[in-house]
Amino acid sequence: MTLLTESSGNYSWQRPHLIKNKNKRAIIYLLAVAYIIFTFISLKIDSQRIILGLSRSQKYFADFLRPDFISRWNSIVDGILESLTMTYVATVFGIIISIPFAFGAAENISPKPIYYLSRAVIVISRSFQEVVIAIFFVVVIGFGPMAGVLTLTFSSIGFLSKLLAEEIEDIDWTQVEAVKATGASWPQLMTYAILPQILPRFIGLSVYRLDINFRASAVIGVVGAGGIGTTLNAAFDRYEFDSASAILIVMIAIVLLGELFSSFIRKKIK
């Protein structure tokens, strides 16, 4: 609906309000402001602690601006290699396991029981952050990269299965009908009618998940699930902020290389 208002004899367009009643709008705005004020007060923010933190941050940032690649270089290399290994293994297993769940979670090709079961697995996988999953696996199997691999694999299943299932649901069904008319079996139907339509998207999602898993490996390492995160956490615990800065720079460089690789792959498959 378009509203026209007269100004000096000319009509101008005015965006219509979601809530037409002015009094109701005013009450909603007042309630929103009151809620923000109440929330701010309930946080009990201590200005003295903020001032003290600002003074401490000068030393921390000074150390960050002087990255030390020498003192802990062996630990940095070992942590990066462990994270890369975890990332690669978890992504491969996540891709393999997610494929059947993706097909099962596509409503246009799956029976209802399989559809609901696959969707339930996807929902469970996507319900928890990597750190929560990592804590569970660390408690179950102990500290180390094995817990990290299981964490990243479990997270990859929900991510890849959901997005790939949505891609399957959006395929051009006329191609499926054409292949079906030839008397093709179900595996042939999947191979020749559905897979070619989703393959570019599937490759793009796999490369993207590889990038996500590497960044997540730094986070889950904080709780003992291996990778460069363990090295980074140790640097913070020892107040070696110059070494922590070096670790972060190496991680940023690897993520940038991964982004370039991802861009190259996407261009090739288009």
Side-chain angles (χ1 to χ4, degrees):
M1 180 180 178
T2 303
L3 296 181
L4 296 177
T5 58
E6 186 175 1
S7 178
S8 301
N10 297 321
Y11 288 95
S12 61
W13 180 84
Q14 181 181 2
R15 184 184 298 276
H17 294 286
L18 181 63
I19 301 174
K20 297 180 180 180
N21 190 290
K22 292 183 179 180
N23 293 331
K24 290 182 179 179
R25 289 203 304 271
I27 292 173
I28 291 174
Y29 292 150
L30 288 174
L31 289 175
V33 171
Y35 177 74
I36 292 173
I37 295 173
F38 172 77
T39 303
F40 184 81
I41 295 174
S42 64
L43 291 177
K44 298 179 180 179
I45 298 175
D46 189 347
S47 59
Q48 295 298 324
R49 292 180 63 184
I50 294 176
I51 295 173
L52 180 61
L54 291 175
S55 62
R56 288 177 177 175
S57 65
Q58 296 178 2
K59 177 181 181 303
Y60 297 159
F61 282 114
D63 289 336
F64 268 113
L65 294 175
R66 297 192 301 267
D68 180 9
F69 293 92
I70 306 301
S71 301
R72 302 289 178 182
W73 178 247
N74 291 333
S75 298
I76 294 174
V77 172
D78 291 341
I80 290 292
L81 292 177
E82 191 171 83
S83 276
L84 290 174
T85 303
M86 288 166 50
T87 299
Y88 176 75
V89 174
T91 304
V92 170
F93 279 104
I95 291 171
I96 294 173
I97 299 173
S98 67
I99 291 175
F101 284 110
F103 279 89
E107 192 173 11
N108 56 341
I109 63 172
S110 298
K112 288 298 182 183
I114 297 178
Y115 170 78
Y116 288 123
L117 176 62
S118 300
R119 283 289 174 177
V121 173
I122 292 174
V123 168
I124 293 172
S125 175
R126 289 171 53 81
S127 296
F128 304 100
Q129 289 289 335
E130 284 87 354
V131 174
V132 178
I133 303 171
I135 293 173
F136 171 78
F137 283 118
V138 166
V139 171
V140 172
I141 64 175
F143 296 99
M146 186 63 185
V149 170
L150 293 176
T151 298
L152 298 177
T153 301
F154 186 75
S155 298
S156 298
I157 293 172
F159 175 86
L160 292 171
S161 297
K162 176 179 172 56
L163 296 180
L164 191 58
E166 292 176 353
E167 187 71 16
I168 295 173
E169 291 177 344
D170 292 335
I171 61 173
D172 183 4
W173 197 252
T174 57
Q175 297 185 33
V176 179
E177 294 292 344
V179 175
K180 187 185 295 185
T182 64
S185 62
W186 190 86
Q188 292 174 328
L189 196 65
M190 298 297 108
T191 303
Y192 297 107
I194 296 179
L195 187 60
Q197 297 190 59
I198 66 171
L199 188 58
R201 175 67 169 166
F202 176 64
I203 295 174
L205 287 174
S206 300
V207 175
Y208 182 47
R209 187 63 210 186
L210 187 72
D211 176 59
I212 293 175
N213 282 344
F214 177 73
R215 288 185 278 113
S217 68
V219 179
I220 63 177
V222 175
V223 296
I228 190 61
T230 303
T231 309
L232 181 62
N233 189 47
F236 277 114
D237 288 341
R238 292 191 295 262
Y239 297 98
E240 296 175 353
F241 299 109
D242 48 359
S243 296
S245 176
I247 295 171
L248 293 175
I249 291 173
V250 172
M251 290 177 60
I252 292 171
I254 293 177
V255 171
L256 286 175
L257 290 174
E259 184 63 28
L260 292 174
F261 174 72
S262 174
S263 177
F264 173 78
I265 293 296
R266 287 197 298 269
K267 290 179 180 178
K268 287 295 184 181
I269 64 178
K270 281 184 179 180

